Amino acid sequence: MIERRGSVGTLNRVFLVGHTHHDVGYTNSPRIIDRMHEAIIGEVLDLADAHGSSGPDRFRWTFEVARPVLRFLEHAPPEQAHRLRRRVADGTLAVTAGYLNNTQLASQSELDAAYDRLAAFAAAGIPVRTEQHGDVNGISWGAVPAMRRAGVSRLVMALNPDHGRPPFAQPSGFWWEGQDGEPVFVWLSTHYGFGEEWGIVDADVELAELRISEFLDGLAARRDYPYDTAIVHAGNDNRWPTALFLDVVRHWNARRPDVRMETATIDQALDALEAQAREADIPRVRGEWSDWWSHGHGSTAREVAVYREARSLSLAAQSTLALSRLRGDGDVALATVLGYRRGPVRLRTPEEIDRDLSAVDEELMLFNEHTWGSWETYSRPHSFFSSSHWNGKAGFAYGAYDWARDLAVEGLFRLVASGAPDAPVAARAIVVVNPTESVRTEPVTVEVDGVREVTVVARDVPAFGTAMLEVPAERPLPCSGRGIRTERYAVTVDPARGGVVSLLDLATGRELVDQAAGSGLGAVVVERVPADSAHPMVTRSPKDFHPDNPGPDFVRAVSTSDVLPLVTETDDMVEIRWIGSAPTVPSVTATLRLYRRTDVIDLDVELVKPEVFAPESIFVAFPFAVADPRFLLETAGAVYEADAEQLPDTSKDWYSIQHAVGVAGAEGGVLWGTVDAPLVQLGGFQTGKWARELDAPHGHINSWLMNNLHFTNFQARQDGTLRYRYRFRLAAPDAVAVRRFGRDLLQPLQARAYAGPVALRGSSGLRIEPADRLFAELRPEGDEVRIRLRNPGAEPVAARVGWDGTGVEIVPEAAIVPPYGLAEVRARRVEPHPR
């Protein structure tokens, strides 16, 4: 009998959980794998019929993610759907709640879109109680309340041990609280890959007995394992289902009657473990589960930027199409050529809008799924398979972008013309649309005549409304200079230090740039491993970039130049542009803009990057002069303080954010945001420290654009011309301010040059109150509009939703939005559309 020292009870049961780990790719092309996982459902049903004993060796199976099961239900004949429903009901099969094994790239909107799909299970009479992840080594804090809203209260995380640490020993159970204090039960499982490594899925019964016995001996020696049950996974990457693992159960029970082994679904296993956890003293923690593997987001910088642009366009389209649905279509300026600059050639029906918005959601979720490349992407980067695999994966981002851009163009044209027939045709102007609930003032950049870009400040654009601006004259010719100034700021650039060496707040005299930093603000910094490095990741294997091998030490070079910057002034702004170069980045062009009568500062950085296979990282430096800083980071659905609000041993070397960071200090702070690049390092350069505590004495943010510090499925190199966009301003940030700054970057003002019917100037009619305490997200659904109200704060908000005028019904008009929570309102037009 295996006894556990210093804990309650005796370890006397092993649950063997059969499943396949769901990768959209890796072992084969995403195009093929995605279809095969749907086919797995039918194979599992056949195996369940063939191996339906009543003993411990009964075939049981868990579908690790929801998407293939949902697709099966969508396509299967009724009798097949009935087979699935019956097998779930009798405990043979379990369906889980996670749509895919997604990364921390996903926004709150994408999380909710994934959980929305679970309604199809309820309609089919299939219960879903547990979410299961494999390989993904972190998950956004905002996922906790999102899970609970979807009726899911348990989470299984089978972390991959490479490139990081687990927050507790694997396996362990703990309670993970959301920002609202409501928890989910987490089972931090062993890595699912042991199912193959230990011989389980291939029925190497002797090896399986040896490895499982060693595993149980380790659990018995732990004082922090108050369970009489262990879970062992019978699965691996994209394994076609078989019943071979049942031989392991039979062999084990014949040899080890003291510890019973039986098959189980993940639901059955967690029913037992959660019940025991409620009687035990297990950890209760709150904060972000910051993913060590998120550095992979920097292995595909261009496609991640495309994906982020696609979701912004999708949200803009949802808003404009929803508002035009409520107002009624006017005489939309239809084009005669299928082209981006010309507008739509026809208007989608409500059914087509629903279909195409759903398709964008699907492509976004497939891209932010964790399988970045194939198992030979790093080792054979130029193989046909590596290229084909990445073409399929990147296609999800580009597919989402294509459809979202087209929907957003149609939405803008429909909204501007909505509400009245025979609207007057405006001369050429810049039309600006505000897709959000608050009045906005911010810069917009617009293409004019297909040959030039203009940047103007759109002031006081009404909530859910429009504004018309004059097209500015041609830009004046630039002149040489090292400094620019507005009524708020004075900036000095030194190309020899790579960027801005002084950014002075004229109102307070405060210097925003750390004068002791190794580079200027906006400088591109290249980080490399020295040629004579003896670190194991260089001399043995790139897999040794790992906490067990701290380091390596890096050398860094700043992009520099001796060429004077160029300064351009217009009525709305003054900008300074400088160039530089650095090792592995032969061309850098940076443009910083100050605006008149608004305090935001924009920085664009454009790189020309040849491919490099040696280990490297590329950063844009923001060495803010903030003493004793606290860093507030925007994750999906939440804001957390770095280090102070994180699960133990989660990543502190780098963070994947949504858009915004607040740097708070005793003498003032900064709100900073990134449009394109989600990875940041805080307080300095942290690569390879594998820190257990964040050492960030300075208010520096280093935007980690790209890296190739990988060993398997991340890209081994990157090349091309790439642009990265940033915005920041002085502030004393709190969590709500960070959320709003990030939301505004996710949903910017939409603007374009336009000459056509204009029926809407000003407010569309929709009002959200109080707009300063809520975020509103619109989406057309059939003949209705769904309005989701999000509360970013710690106190409940009494919300009211109204419509100026008649013809629109809103149900309910008032709602209490709980702290950090969500409420949903429906609106529809009840009078005929104007014609």
Side-chain angles (χ1 to χ4, degrees):
M1 184 72 69
I2 298 175
E3 295 185 356
R4 191 171 50 257
R5 297 190 301 271
S7 56
V8 178
T10 301
L11 190 59
N12 56 26
R13 180 170 55 179
V14 178
F15 283 136
L16 198 58
V17 177
H19 64 100
T20 190
H21 173 59
H22 191 285
D23 286 317
V24 184
Y26 192 60
T27 61
N28 209 329
S29 163
R31 304 176 184 89
I32 293 173
I33 289 294
D34 194 41
R35 295 184 184 181
M36 291 302 294
H37 275 292
E38 185 178 347
I40 281 174
I41 314 301
E43 181 71 13
V44 165
L45 289 171
D46 291 342
L47 288 169
D49 289 345
H51 301 275
S53 79
S54 59
D57 60 343
R58 179 180 179 178
F59 181 87
R60 289 184 171 87
W61 193 264
T62 297
F63 297 112
E64 186 183 84
V65 298
R67 184 172 188 269
V69 188
L70 289 167
R71 287 165 59 84
F72 176 84
L73 288 172
E74 183 180 352
H75 301 141
E79 61 271 17
Q80 284 289 82
H82 175 71
R83 288 179 72 197
L84 176 62
R85 183 166 50 249
R86 179 170 60 85
R87 285 304 188 185
V88 172
D90 70 15
T92 302
L93 307 178
V95 176
T96 58
Y99 189 68
L100 291 164
N101 288 309
N102 290 108
T103 69
Q104 287 182 310
L105 286 176
S107 68
Q108 183 174 28
S109 298
E110 290 157 83
L111 289 179
D112 285 340
Y115 290 119
D116 288 344
R117 282 161 163 71
L118 300 183
F121 288 140
I126 295 174
V128 177
R129 300 185 288 142
T130 306
E131 183 164 338
Q132 181 173 344
H133 283 290
D135 257 2
V136 181
N137 288 356
I139 186 170
S140 301
W141 196 10
V144 177
M147 277 188 277
R148 295 194 65 91
R149 286 195 296 270
V152 179
S153 61
R154 292 112 61 101
L155 171 66
V156 177
M157 295 285 279
L159 269 61
N160 191 312
D162 294 315
H163 277 2
R165 303 186 189 97
F168 299 100
Q170 292 176 258
S172 287
F174 62 93
W175 302 104
W176 185 19
E177 289 185 3
Q179 276 192 300
D180 60 0
E182 292 296 318
V184 294
F185 176 65
V186 178
W187 187 252
L188 180 60
S189 198
T190 57
H191 190 235
Y192 64 84
F194 293 157
E196 185 169 279
E197 184 180 328
W198 293 356
I200 298 168
V201 293
D202 294 316
D204 186 340
V205 295
E206 298 291 343
L207 177 61
E209 180 188 356
L210 174 64
R211 294 290 182 250
I212 295 171
S213 294
E214 292 172 345
F215 170 61
L216 297 181
D217 288 343
L219 293 183
R222 283 174 49 184
R223 295 179 177 274
D224 62 345
Y225 192 84
Y227 308 95
D228 65 10
T229 299
I231 291 179
V232 174
H233 293 268
N236 206 8
D237 299 332
N238 294 330
R239 285 292 300 235
W240 187 251
T242 73
L244 292 174
F245 67 95
L246 303 182
D247 289 344
V248 174
V249 178
R250 300 177 189 119
H251 174 85
W252 177 275
N253 286 334
R255 297 282 294 270
R256 297 293 305 272
D258 56 319
V259 181
R260 176 184 173 88
M261 180 181 289
E262 57 188 282
T263 61
T265 67
I266 199 66
D267 279 343
Q268 293 159 348
L270 259 64
D271 285 345
L273 289 164
E274 184 181 5
Q276 294 178 39
R278 293 186 181 279
E279 301 300 321
D281 182 19
I282 66 170
R284 189 179 184 101
V285 294
R286 54 185 285 115
E288 178 78 351
W289 198 330
S290 184
D291 186 358
W292 283 105
W293 273 61
S294 67
H295 67 312
H297 303 166
S299 72
T300 56
R302 180 189 297 277
E303 289 76 15
V304 167
V306 170
Y307 153 83
R308 288 163 69 90
E309 185 75 3
R311 64 189 196 177
S312 290
L313 290 168
S314 177
L315 289 168
Q318 291 178 42
S319 186
T320 53
L321 291 166
L323 292 168
S324 61
R325 179 77 48 85
L326 295 178
R327 290 176 53 82
D329 282 327
D331 295 321
V332 177
L334 296 176
T336 57
V337 175
L338 295 164
Y340 173 59
R341 294 185 176 93
R342 297 174 182 262
V345 299
R346 61 178 288 272
L347 303 183
R348 291 172 170 86
T349 66
E351 294 76 19
E352 289 172 325
I353 288 172
D354 289 347
R355 177 201 66 194
D356 291 349
L357 286 175
S358 182
V360 173
D361 290 341
E362 197 80 5
E363 298 276 2
L364 290 173
M365 289 185 285
L366 284 164
F367 183 78
N368 72 49
E369 192 268 350
H370 78 296
T371 313
W372 237 232
S374 76
W375 52 9
E376 65 177 41
T377 291
Y378 192 92
S379 60
R380 301 182 64 202
H382 292 133
S383 73
F384 284 164
F385 178 52
S386 293
S387 298
S388 174
H389 190 293
W390 182 240
N391 179 271
K393 171 72 175 184
F396 298 139
Y398 287 107
Y401 172 80
D402 288 343
W403 286 108
R405 186 188 71 168
D406 196 61
L407 285 159
V409 170
E410 179 178 333
L412 184 146
F413 273 74
R414 290 177 82 149
L415 181 60
V416 173
S418 68
D422 304 319
V425 176
R428 187 185 68 158
I430 294 173
V431 60
V432 182
V433 173
N434 181 352
T436 65
E437 73 297 317
S438 300
V439 177
R440 303 265 293 270
T441 293
E442 63 191 49
V444 294
T445 298
V446 181
E447 181 186 86
V448 176
D449 300 329
V451 294
R452 66 186 177 109
E453 282 191 344
V454 299
T455 299
V456 296
V457 176
R459 295 181 176 86
D460 300 321
V461 184
F464 298 126
T466 70
M468 304 295 290
L469 309 179
E470 291 184 2
V471 177
E474 293 282 345
R475 285 166 57 102
L477 293 175
C479 60
S480 298
R482 293 184 180 273
I484 58 176
R485 176 184 290 258
T486 63
E487 69 275 10
R488 181 65 190 271
Y489 300 114
V491 168
T492 303
V493 171
D494 181 0
R497 291 190 57 200
V500 176
V501 293
S502 177
L503 201 169
L504 197 63
D505 177 17
L506 298 175
T508 65
R510 178 185 165 202
E511 173 60 63
L512 197 61
V513 177
D514 183 353
Q515 300 298 296
S519 71
L521 184 149
V524 169
V525 180
V526 176
E527 183 180 74
R528 294 178 295 165
V529 179
D532 60 353
S533 174
H535 193 274
M537 72 170 288
V538 177
T539 61
R540 186 169 60 193
S541 167
K543 195 171 183 177
D544 287 321
F545 182 64
H546 188 276
D548 291 345
N549 301 295
D553 295 325
F554 291 93
V555 293
R556 300 180 183 93
V558 177
S559 60
T560 61
S561 168
D562 57 4
V563 178
L564 275 174
L566 295 177
V567 175
T568 305
E569 293 198 43
T570 71
D571 290 342
D572 274 353
M573 69 166 192
V574 55
E575 74 173 31
I576 185 165
R577 176 172 297 180
W578 66 96
I579 63 172
S581 64
T584 78
V585 184
S587 176
V588 174
T589 303
T591 305
L592 185 134
R593 298 186 186 93
L594 304 179
Y595 302 98
R596 309 188 197 282
R597 296 178 295 280
T598 184
D599 65 348
V600 299
I601 301 170
D602 284 344
L603 175 71
D604 293 355
V605 177
E606 189 171 284
L607 312 178
V608 177
K609 178 73 176 68
E611 65 179 26
V612 172
F613 287 90
E616 67 165 352
S617 293
I618 313 296
F619 297 87
V620 176
F622 293 85
F624 294 121
V626 179
D628 301 319
R630 295 168 49 245
F631 293 92
L632 303 176
L633 276 57
E634 182 200 14
T635 187
V639 168
Y640 66 99
E641 183 179 344
D643 201 7
E645 292 181 302
Q646 290 182 236
L647 271 59
D649 267 346
T650 54
S651 177
K652 299 178 178 68
D653 284 17
W654 52 77
Y655 298 88
S656 179
I657 64 168
Q658 285 297 305
H659 286 277
V661 176
V663 188
E667 298 178 0
V670 178
L671 276 170
W672 175 93
T674 170
V675 177
D676 306 295
L679 288 175
V680 296
Q681 295 186 13
L682 304 178
F685 294 97
Q686 309 284 1
T687 323
K689 291 186 178 179
W690 308 109
R692 294 186 184 273
E693 295 181 356
L694 177 64
D695 180 18
H698 309 293
H700 300 187
I701 299 173
N702 289 321
S703 176
W704 198 11
L705 305 184
M706 60 182 73
N707 69 85
N708 59 357
L709 304 176
H710 314 290
F711 65 92
T712 176
N713 61 320
F714 297 123
Q715 300 299 310
R717 83 282 185 232
Q718 296 175 77
D719 58 2
T721 301
L722 305 150
R723 182 181 65 164
Y724 302 91
R725 296 165 289 174
Y726 304 93
R727 176 167 291 169
F728 57 96
R729 67 178 178 86
L730 294 173
D734 60 18
V736 174
V738 171
R739 279 286 293 275
R740 187 166 294 279
F741 198 70
R743 194 288 305 267
D744 288 353
L745 286 171
L746 173 63
Q747 293 185 259
L749 296 179
Q750 300 293 298
R752 67 177 289 138
Y754 177 83
V758 179
L760 174 61
R761 292 176 184 261
S763 172
S764 63
L766 182 63
R767 287 179 288 102
I768 308 293
E769 299 170 341
D772 61 340
R773 297 183 62 194
L774 295 168
F775 303 139
E777 184 182 297
L778 312 184
R779 184 173 177 125
E781 291 186 344
D783 62 353
E784 292 187 329
V785 168
R786 185 191 72 197
I787 303 172
R788 281 189 168 155
L789 304 174
R790 303 187 190 277
N791 178 1
E795 300 296 329
V797 175
R800 294 196 65 83
V801 181
W803 182 263
D804 295 330
T806 61
V808 171
E809 177 184 71
I810 298 171
V811 180
E813 293 183 347
I816 301 297
V817 190
Y820 308 111
L822 179 149
E824 194 164 290
V825 172
R826 296 276 167 170
R828 66 186 182 94
R829 188 166 186 86
V830 294
E831 292 181 2
H833 285 198
R835 256 313 170 212

